[in-house]
Amino acid sequence: MSGGVSADGVTILGAGVMGLATATELAARGHTVRVVDPALGPGTQGCSWWAGGMLAPWCEFENAEEPVLRHGRTAIDWWDRHAGGVTHAGTLVVTLGRDRQELDRFARRTEGFEPIGSDRLAELEPDLSGRFHRALFFPDEAHLDPRTAVAALQAGLATRGVTLAAVLPPDPGRIIDCRGLAARDILTDLRGVRGEMLVLRCPGVALSRPIRLLHPRVPIYLVPRGEGIYMLGATMIESDRRGVVTARSVLELLSAAYALHPGFGEAEIVELGADARPAFPDNLPRIGQAGWRLYANGLYRHGYLLAPAVAMQLADHIDTGAKPEFWHETDHQR
């Protein structure tokens, strides 16, 4: 380990996916690490708790910059190594007949897919047989259960002696700020993008991979969690309002799920959740220096997809002084 770290090691602020991924990467390289978050416990990881968990760099490339595809492709292997529980089943993208131009538009803006017809679609997802004439299949994509993944990272850190605490120690050493929206006290151009999601129980519908239903106004994704449980999401609203889900969003999301398969009309709503994703104006993450601390933030809707790459860049910077690709300099630093 080539240093830059004080004798007191590294303290990570924030126990969401960004903080835990950074702590995992540093601990795996032999650093002494602490994680500090005043709101520790199940359900307190904010956006990380309510994420879809899709490791879908090719699909996300439809509406994202090139680094999301390039770095997102490394995320699947990172999660396999550090958390396990990754399902390698690909992604299906479909659309209703009246919106078929949306499928063509999606195909033009991404790559890594196979155009398939109704027969192949029925092989992949028998419960969607006869419902769609065309689809896009992204075979190399994957998904995970974010809550299980967070718990796995915490367990892995515990085996390395990494402590999770609610209070900053008196001698924290080098600090890395991964607090998400809470870091707006030092990152003034950070904004919130609200996402609302539902957890459904619908044993009458069996799907084995994430399904994206395209719609010009209300696109949805449906991610299987096993045993008839699905995560249904997600709205994208320019707002930092957190808390309960609105009636409009529930109606729109459920209507879209029903259009995907009428069986979801009999689904039980197990949970409703909403949170605000931290994002910078360009919707790409940043690593930088704010006062006396490093920070990593702005994962936008790509938390589980980009957290590993950001964590590795941070660790390389601490180990060797290498400038991260996602490095952001303030006007003062320039």
Side-chain angles (χ1 to χ4, degrees):
M1 186 172 64
S2 57
V5 182
S6 76
D8 294 312
V10 181
T11 296
I12 311 293
L13 303 183
V17 66
M18 186 68 261
L20 292 176
T22 300
T24 297
E25 188 66 30
L26 287 170
R29 301 187 187 197
H31 291 272
T32 300
V33 181
R34 306 179 190 89
V35 178
V36 175
D37 195 315
L40 289 170
T44 61
Q45 291 90 1
C47 300
S48 302
W49 186 254
W50 287 108
M54 294 176 293
L55 304 177
W58 289 273
C59 281
E60 289 300 313
F61 188 47
E62 178 265 341
N63 195 33
E65 300 294 329
E66 182 274 338
V68 174
L69 173 61
R70 176 162 42 90
H71 291 296
R73 291 169 68 173
T74 68
I76 297 173
D77 176 66
W78 192 95
W79 285 108
D80 267 330
R81 287 185 288 112
H82 291 290
V86 177
T87 300
H88 297 260
T91 302
L92 275 173
V93 180
V94 299
T95 190
L96 302 174
R98 64 178 180 268
D99 301 320
R100 58 184 178 273
Q101 72 278 3
E102 291 295 311
L103 196 68
D104 297 330
R105 182 193 60 80
F106 196 96
R108 289 194 300 269
R109 295 175 64 89
T110 189
E111 56 190 63
F113 62 86
E114 302 171 9
I116 63 174
S118 57
D119 290 345
R120 175 65 171 142
L121 177 59
E123 291 176 9
L124 293 169
E125 296 290 357
D127 276 16
L128 297 183
S129 178
R131 300 197 55 78
F132 303 96
H133 297 297
R134 295 190 302 142
L136 305 177
F137 178 46
F138 293 77
D140 296 325
E141 296 192 334
H143 68 281
L144 51 72
D145 182 336
R147 301 177 184 185
T148 302
V150 163
L153 291 187
Q154 290 177 338
L157 289 170
T159 63
R160 290 191 169 102
V162 175
T163 60
L164 278 71
V167 179
L168 194 69
D171 298 309
R174 170 169 279 183
I175 290 180
I176 302 177
D177 192 324
C178 300
R179 292 178 295 146
L181 273 184
R184 284 186 294 183
D185 57 347
I186 62 170
L187 303 173
T188 58
D189 58 347
L190 196 65
R191 78 188 198 281
V193 181
R194 179 175 167 86
E196 298 161 300
M197 291 74 83
L198 287 72
V199 179
L200 305 177
R201 180 182 291 111
C202 188
V205 178
L207 300 173
S208 58
R209 55 183 52 77
I211 310 294
R212 293 181 182 234
L213 176 64
L214 303 181
H215 186 279
R217 191 171 60 86
V218 191
I220 67 162
Y221 60 73
L222 198 71
V223 186
R225 294 279 187 260
E227 299 182 351
I229 302 295
Y230 296 90
M231 171 69 84
L232 171 63
T235 61
M236 294 283 291
I237 302 168
E238 288 291 331
S239 169
D240 60 4
R241 188 168 70 88
R242 310 170 103 157
V244 297
V245 179
T246 64
R248 174 184 294 177
S249 293
V250 172
L251 288 169
E252 290 179 339
L253 290 171
L254 288 177
S255 294
Y258 182 81
L260 178 70
H261 194 294
F264 284 105
E266 302 301 319
E268 303 171 19
I269 300 176
V270 179
E271 293 181 61
L272 301 171
D275 215 309
R277 312 168 180 93
F280 290 108
D282 62 359
N283 294 333
L284 288 174
R286 290 180 186 173
I287 299 169
Q289 186 88 30
W292 43 272
R293 65 178 66 170
L294 284 171
Y295 69 84
N297 213 319
L299 292 177
Y300 183 47
R301 57 180 284 163
H302 306 125
Y304 287 79
L305 192 61
L306 289 186
V310 176
M312 288 187 284
Q313 290 183 29
L314 264 171
D316 288 344
H317 177 67
I318 289 174
D319 281 345
T320 69
K323 187 175 181 179
E325 178 182 340
F326 290 128
W327 185 261
H328 179 78
E329 292 183 343
T330 66
D331 291 338
H332 173 72
Q333 289 168 328
R334 291 191 187 97

